[in-house]
Amino acid sequence: MSKRQWPFVLGGLLVALLLAGVVSNYASAHPDGLDSSLLKGCTVNADDEITGGSCPAQQAKDHELADSPLADYGVRGVSNGFLSTGLSGVLGVLLTFALGGGLFWLARRRGPATNPSSGPTNGPTEGSAGPDSDPTADERAARAAGAR
């Protein structure tokens, strides 16, 4: 990566960390579109617990990672909700950045791209017009002026 790209990458990382660490705490606590569509047909109380009716959300079960350290948008063991949510967002961004950066590092080109079927050439090849085949605008103007 060139030196000119580092400020852009670090700036993007800083913005992502700020959004995940601070702004994520101000996201809506109300159910999103998927959750609200699964609750259609049920009645819920103020804590979003199903109290009656029939809906697909009643068959919902915890997934295998429900006991993981970063489950439910927080860090297990941190009692402050604001800090727990922010810390889980920051850890998620750093983990994603590290995994993505590692994959890009593995997939990068290791040297200049070469075509093994074409060897080095020292001049114009058959079918090319040579160095005069693609004149610059100044050269075209000079030729046009000389032709008059």
Side-chain angles (χ1 to χ4, degrees):
M1 183 180 312
S2 71
K3 288 184 181 182
R4 287 181 16 175
Q5 294 171 332
W6 278 110
F8 179 74
V9 170
L10 293 178
L13 179 61
L14 183 65
V15 168
L17 288 170
L18 182 67
L19 289 172
V22 178
V23 178
S24 63
N25 282 293
Y26 299 103
S28 175
H30 298 292
D32 61 12
L34 178 61
D35 288 337
S36 63
S37 67
L38 291 175
L39 290 172
K40 285 186 179 178
C42 284
T43 54
V44 294
N45 62 13
D47 295 326
D48 289 328
E49 296 170 348
I50 298 172
T51 57
S54 175
C55 62
Q58 291 172 319
Q59 284 77 32
K61 300 174 187 166
D62 279 342
H63 55 81
E64 294 82 25
L65 299 176
D67 294 329
S68 69
L70 298 177
D72 291 330
Y73 304 106
V75 176
R76 190 173 2 135
V78 177
S79 59
N80 182 335
F82 190 88
L83 180 63
S84 178
T85 300
L87 188 58
S88 105
V90 166
L91 289 172
V93 166
L94 291 175
L95 181 64
T96 303
F97 186 78
L99 286 173
L103 288 174
F104 276 105
W105 181 79
L106 288 173
R108 76 189 190 285
R109 283 194 214 177
R110 310 236 180 211
T114 58
N115 187 353
S117 65
S118 66
T121 60
N122 294 331
T125 59
E126 186 179 336
S128 71
D132 294 332
S133 63
D134 188 22
T136 64
D138 292 336
E139 291 172 328
R140 285 191 299 264
R143 286 181 189 168
R148 290 184 204 164

